[in-house]
Amino acid sequence: MDLSVSGIPPTFYFQKIMAVTIKNKSSIELGVVPTHIKFVGGLAPDDSGKLPRGDDGKLLVVTEMGDLIEASPVEIDSAQVPYFAGADAADVEEMINDLKGLGLTVHLIMMVGGADPMNPADEDKVVDMLKTGLEVAKSYDIENVSSTSFEEWMQGEPKVGDAFDAAVAQVAKVHARAYEECDLANSPVQAWHIEFLRGGEMQTFTSSAKCFAGVKATNDIIGNTFFKVMVDAAHCGDSDLTIPENEAVIREISEAGALGIFHASAKTTRGCLSTDDGWIGALLTEYAKTGNMKYVFVEIFHHEDPALEPLRDLDPGHGLDTTDGRTYSETVIDGLVDVTRRLNNLVTRGMLS
């Protein structure tokens, strides 16, 4: 149609298109990890434990999720938000309750640091940090928790051979202790998703296969499949395994009952999903084929977050502005639309219910 002679301004068509709701035809819970508002000044507490607020006094993460819900043509089911030990208890309560008030299912990412989960000398300290986050999850009836707690961020040296086997045994012991001491078997928490990171961010558990070794060892101790492997497409893309190799590991994890949350996030840039070079599409499809995919989160990082300067130093590609003239909120919404289209077409192709 030639909009110039239709008598209807072109902007009208744009507005009508944007007003159309894009339905998620799958049974997958679709959410956002709101890291695009930055850790510093957005998600992380200040020195007194207080969470960042806007000029209106509202928590920034709650405001952002509300704005995304209002602007997105795709329904947002959930938010995966970080929990920092030492965060003000009243602020944490407000954050969780207000996010639930928006109609969101809340997932917690337990942030730990200052101790080495692979070092037996740090075992009690690590277990205590994990238990703090787990007790918060229990108190707010949160069903899914996550963590990158197999090793410290950007610390240490790679462990291989016997040293890797010892690391696997130690992280399994630590996480099984936290599970048992918090009585998670009789709690609202239904699963604990362990995330691996790219080489440099982590030194030892840097691939889906290595993470699965630790998760399997933990599940063997507790006698069930409570612990899951979180597969982040970005970390897979930056690991030493190819797409076919990651697909094979995903099948193996699924067969063991340990397939966890999927993060739709772009390798290296961690920005717009258009920069991932095919990893999200390939691995999301493999997830669908297993029949065990339940949760997908869109995760984009801000390229100027002060907290992530060490990551930009590790790889300058992380510091690229991939928004292409959009706000970060708009970039996340584009990611939600992209993932929803993928899910819907997986349903159409008979790969997903």
Side-chain angles (χ1 to χ4, degrees), residues 55-120:
D55 293 338
D56 59 359
K58 291 182 62 176
L59 294 172
L60 288 178
V61 66
V62 175
T63 297
E64 175 63 12
M65 289 307 305
D67 289 347
L68 288 177
I69 289 170
E70 184 175 352
S72 174
V74 173
E75 184 173 354
I76 302 172
D77 300 313
S78 51
Q80 190 179 39
V81 293
Y83 168 76
F84 293 85
D88 182 82
D91 281 5
V92 172
E93 179 178 18
E94 180 182 343
M95 175 183 70
I96 294 173
N97 288 338
D98 284 2
L99 290 172
K100 288 182 176 181
L102 292 172
L104 295 168
T105 299
V106 177
H107 295 234
L108 281 191
I109 308 172
M110 300 182 296
M111 311 297 287
V112 297
D116 181 2
M118 298 181 288
N119 184 353

Side-chain angles (χ1 to χ4, degrees), residues 21-330:
T21 298
I22 303 169
K23 180 177 175 58
N24 178 3
K25 299 175 184 177
S26 75
S27 60
I28 303 304
E29 181 183 302
L30 178 63
V32 171
V33 188
T35 43
H36 61 284
I37 67 171
K38 302 181 184 178
F39 283 100
V40 175
L43 295 171
D46 61 20
D47 291 340
S48 63
K50 303 297 288 183
L51 297 178
R53 296 179 182 270
D55 293 338
D56 59 359
K58 291 182 62 176
L59 294 172
L60 288 178
V61 66
V62 175
T63 297
E64 175 63 12
M65 289 307 305
D67 289 347
L68 288 177
I69 289 170
E70 184 175 352
S72 174
V74 173
E75 184 173 354
I76 302 172
D77 300 313
S78 51
Q80 190 179 39
V81 293
Y83 168 76
F84 293 85
D88 182 82
D91 281 5
V92 172
E93 179 178 18
E94 180 182 343
M95 175 183 70
I96 294 173
N97 288 338
D98 284 2
L99 290 172
K100 288 182 176 181
L102 292 172
L104 295 168
T105 299
V106 177
H107 295 234
L108 281 191
I109 308 172
M110 300 182 296
M111 311 297 287
V112 297
D116 181 2
M118 298 181 288
N119 184 353
D122 287 350
E123 180 176 319
D124 289 341
K125 187 174 182 180
V126 175
V127 170
D128 287 344
M129 281 191 290
L130 291 171
K131 287 168 62 178
T132 299
L134 293 169
E135 291 299 336
V136 169
K138 287 168 59 179
S139 66
Y140 293 103
D141 294 326
I142 290 173
E143 295 186 356
N144 287 276
V145 298
S146 302
S147 63
T148 55
S149 50
F150 274 3
E151 61 181 286
E152 288 188 276
W153 188 57
M154 303 190 84
Q155 300 292 325
E157 299 294 331
K159 299 183 186 299
V160 298
D162 291 343
F164 176 77
D165 294 340
V168 167
Q170 183 60 30
V171 298
K173 180 182 179 185
V174 163
H175 289 75
R177 268 191 60 187
Y179 168 88
E180 292 163 355
E181 292 178 19
C182 284
D183 194 23
L184 293 184
N186 298 298
S187 79
V189 183
Q190 300 298 304
W192 185 343
H193 307 257
I194 303 293
E195 184 176 12
F196 64 94
L197 303 181
R198 61 176 293 174
E201 285 193 84
M202 284 187 172
Q203 316 305 323
T204 298
F205 292 96
T206 54
S207 72
S208 54
K210 292 174 182 175
C211 185
F212 180 44
V215 165
K216 183 178 184 302
T218 311
N219 284 338
D220 285 346
I221 293 174
I222 65 174
N224 60 57
T225 56
F226 187 88
F227 287 86
K228 312 292 185 183
V229 178
M230 181 195 295
V231 175
D232 185 310
H235 301 315
C236 289
D238 286 318
S239 76
D240 59 355
L241 299 183
T242 64
I243 286 179
E245 288 169 336
N246 273 288
E247 290 171 334
V249 175
I250 287 170
R251 292 192 293 271
E252 184 180 2
I253 296 170
S254 178
E255 290 166 2
L259 195 63
I261 288 167
F262 182 86
H263 273 183
S265 193
K267 75 182 187 73
T268 306
T269 68
R270 308 308 304 276
C272 179
L273 301 195
S274 65
T275 67
D276 83 315
D277 300 331
W279 285 83
I280 292 171
L283 301 188
L284 188 68
T285 299
E286 196 61 42
Y287 246 70
K289 289 178 181 178
T290 69
N292 289 320
M293 179 164 63
K294 296 181 180 180
Y295 315 101
V296 176
F297 286 87
V298 171
E299 182 182 41
I300 291 175
F301 288 87
H302 197 294
H303 71 287
E304 294 179 327
D305 189 343
L308 301 177
E309 184 175 356
L311 187 50
R312 294 191 290 275
D313 292 340
L314 174 69
D315 189 332
H318 186 78
L320 297 176
D321 180 358
T322 64
T323 57
D324 196 26
R326 297 163 293 177
T327 67
Y328 265 96
S329 299
E330 290 168 339

